[in-house]
Amino acid sequence: MWSQIAADERLSQAETLVRENPDLTVLAAVVAIVAIAAGYLLFRARWTPGVRFRRLLAEQDEIAVLMHPNPDPDAMSAALGVASLASQVGVDATVQYPGQIRHQENRAFRTVLDLELDPIEHVSDLAAESIVLVDHNEPRGFAGADGVLPMAVVDHHPGDGSGEAFTDVRTDYGATASVVAEYFKQNNAAPVPPDKHASETDSDLTLPTDTATGLLYGILSDTKHLTVGASEPDFAAAAYVYPGVDQDRLDRIANPAVDAEVLEVKARAIAGRRIEGSFAVADVGGVNNVDAIPQAADELIQLEGVSAVVVIGERDGTVHLSGRSRDDRVHMGNAIDSVLSDLHNGSGGGHSRMGGGTISPTVDPTGEAEPEPVDRDELADALFRAMAGDV
């Protein structure tokens, strides 16, 4: 009884205090609201990127997962991972890309994993208003790309692009697939072994076998089997997805049939290479399959005594360049960019270990003159100078 009387007295005193000090009451309420808001923001700040990304996906009805032009295994696997995560939180996801899927490795990746990928040519082809960019941070390669404002960006390439609600660009990672694999891990998704069904795992979220297989190959592909540009998180991501990998499908992706022209272009590059010190430039002439050019560069960089190489080829009047470097003195992306930036119709760039670019034909608007050809010997000289640091 005495405790009840004491409680009533304290309540009465509180009511009196509120009546006599309304300003103090308002201040106390404001302080309480601020404390609650600060606590919530602190709690939210502790969410990992993977949790924040999953929550963002769950707020959407549908999304378009957009890859860069002519997507490679890293882009396709990252897109596959985002689409898988979205579907598990009840969101429809459509994976889209501009350009083509041409390289035999890329075609095998798509076929073996039975991926549904929709090509686009115009901004109106985008399947949803909410767009997630993977493996690039600025939309490109289709009409109206400049006007696209992505909802989210997940990438490992340097650049100025960002997402309206979410941006995760990790230039210290060797592959975007590693970032996406980390998202699954941070959401406690259980990898599903190839001989089991998702229902057999004790987890609300899973990493499906096809997604795990794709992500591992994306990591291996972009890091040259974890030997070039790989960081500790890439190794950790590969280890996390490994229990869910289908070894048979992984082997079928890694060992597709090689196009006859690719072998021919590689042979031309080796036979016609020009060497200066430890640098090489090879002009393979006209090609039908431009993907043979980077594959020839991959072959030449393996030659003994070669530390940096650029392969030049031409298709339909456009000159294509692909470079590789294992020389710490040669930043291949910067080297190619420095040469092509001096040409009004040239563009290039890339990473320290690999780069590429194109030179579009100069067309006479009157149509009276033939396009002016690129002096490829002069181009090779400029590339040697750039690799040597003489820029």
Side-chain angles (χ1 to χ4, degrees), residues 158-212:
D160 299 326
S162 62
E164 187 175 22
F166 181 90
T167 303
D168 192 359
V169 178
R170 309 187 194 181
T171 56
D172 56 328
Y173 280 45
T176 303
S178 298
V179 180
V180 175
E182 202 171 277
Y183 290 172
F184 279 90
K185 186 176 182 180
Q186 290 172 347
N187 282 286
N188 300 315
V192 181
D195 58 347
K196 290 188 177 182
H197 187 269
S199 60
E200 298 179 72
T201 63
D202 186 22
S203 178
D204 293 333
L205 289 176
T206 64
L207 177 64
T209 295
D210 58 347
T211 306

Side-chain angles (χ1 to χ4, degrees), residues 95-326:
V95 179
Q96 299 184 288
Y97 67 97
Q100 299 177 331
I101 298 177
R102 299 174 301 209
H103 191 296
Q104 67 265 10
E105 174 193 44
N106 301 346
R107 296 199 306 269
F109 187 97
R110 180 181 188 175
T111 301
V112 172
L113 295 180
D114 194 24
L115 303 183
E116 292 187 13
L117 311 175
D118 292 348
I120 64 170
E121 296 181 354
H122 190 272
V123 64
S124 61
D125 297 329
L126 290 170
E129 291 185 4
S130 298
I131 299 163
V132 179
L133 297 189
V134 294
D135 205 32
H136 65 310
N137 53 67
E138 294 180 277
R140 64 181 189 272
F142 58 94
D146 292 343
V148 173
L149 179 60
M151 173 188 74
V153 168
V154 182
D155 191 18
H156 76 122
H157 296 95
D160 299 326
S162 62
E164 187 175 22
F166 181 90
T167 303
D168 192 359
V169 178
R170 309 187 194 181
T171 56
D172 56 328
Y173 280 45
T176 303
S178 298
V179 180
V180 175
E182 202 171 277
Y183 290 172
F184 279 90
K185 186 176 182 180
Q186 290 172 347
N187 282 286
N188 300 315
V192 181
D195 58 347
K196 290 188 177 182
H197 187 269
S199 60
E200 298 179 72
T201 63
D202 186 22
S203 178
D204 293 333
L205 289 176
T206 64
L207 177 64
T209 295
D210 58 347
T211 306
T213 303
L215 288 172
L216 180 59
Y217 193 79
I219 295 168
L220 296 177
S221 175
D222 244 34
T223 62
K224 302 295 180 185
H225 297 275
L226 295 170
T227 63
V228 178
S231 61
E232 183 179 344
D234 296 301
F235 285 89
Y240 162 68
V241 304
Y242 184 78
V245 171
D246 185 322
Q247 296 289 346
D248 176 65
R249 286 198 281 178
L250 186 69
D251 179 69
R252 287 163 57 196
I253 297 169
N255 297 288
V258 180
D259 186 275
E261 186 187 16
V262 172
L263 296 177
E264 180 185 340
V265 170
K266 286 182 177 181
R268 296 206 303 259
I270 294 171
R273 69 190 185 279
R274 177 178 155 191
I275 300 288
E276 290 190 9
S278 63
F279 306 147
V281 174
D283 187 345
V284 297
V287 299
N288 292 315
N289 180 4
V290 295
D291 287 318
I293 298 171
Q295 292 181 70
D298 288 334
E299 193 75 28
L300 281 185
I301 196 62
Q302 303 300 322
L303 296 180
E304 185 176 357
V306 174
S307 64
V309 61
V310 179
V311 176
I312 305 168
E314 180 270 331
R315 182 173 186 264
D316 296 335
T318 298
V319 174
H320 298 263
L321 292 82
S322 184
R324 300 290 184 268
S325 171
R326 49 190 178 89

